[in-house]
Amino acid sequence: MKSIKPGRGPSMMGGIGSVIAALFGVFWTVMTLRMGVPFMAVFGILFVVMAIVQAVYNFRNATGKSRYSSFDITDSREEPDPLNMQFGGSVLPEERKQPAAGYCPYCGAPVDQQNYRFCPVCGEKLP
Ligand SMILES: [Zn+2]
């Protein structure tokens, strides 16, 4: 499995943006309490909590040794795609399909599998 990780520059920008968002949340909370609408202040507190979580996540990605992954790159052996199966794709992962008899499943060269244990073209072990 390979990963796509966020860049340190964009992560730092996101962290700074999250701090600004937290400050806005504090401002919102104070203003709504002063105007006498504590119901609206709840949203301000939730906003501050969300901004702090995002700030921690972004600053760790900007400065930490190991960054969190944005995307994981897998093939169907590691993790099949349920939607692909549901919408008519192969039920079995591509790699588990039975290769055509008489051909190397790795390079596609015509090979007599009775006489060869290894592909004479690419050298892979034949099934
Ligand atoms: Zn081969």
Side-chain angles (χ1 to χ4, degrees):
M1 183 173 73
K2 292 196 177 273
S3 299
I4 296 178
K5 302 206 174 199
R8 295 186 187 279
S11 295
M12 182 56 78
M13 295 285 282
I16 292 167
S18 301
V19 169
I20 293 169
L23 291 175
F24 171 80
V26 170
F27 174 76
W28 174 277
T29 304
V30 169
M31 289 306 285
T32 50
L33 285 176
R34 276 196 182 170
M35 288 189 286
V37 274
F39 164 74
M40 293 300 279
V42 173
F43 290 106
I45 292 165
L46 289 174
F47 196 84
V48 171
V49 170
M50 195 181 75
I52 289 171
V53 170
Q54 285 190 335
V56 169
Y57 176 87
N58 280 312
F59 283 132
R60 285 191 68 163
N61 266 346
T63 60
K65 188 165 173 260
S66 305
R67 286 169 285 174
Y68 302 115
S69 301
S70 293
F71 298 94
D72 297 327
I73 301 173
T74 64
D75 64 29
S76 54
R77 268 178 305 188
E78 293 169 317
E79 194 175 325
D81 182 353
L83 281 180
N84 184 41
M85 293 181 201
Q86 190 171 338
F87 294 117
S90 170
V91 175
L92 282 174
E94 208 58 43
E95 292 80 3
R96 280 189 212 151
K97 276 185 189 165
Q98 196 62 33
Y103 291 92
C104 170
Y106 302 100
C107 70
V111 179
D112 182 3
Q113 291 175 6
Q114 261 84 49
N115 296 331
Y116 291 99
R117 288 180 59 208
F118 294 90
C119 172
V121 177
C122 71
E124 292 284 344
K125 192 175 192 311
L126 295 172

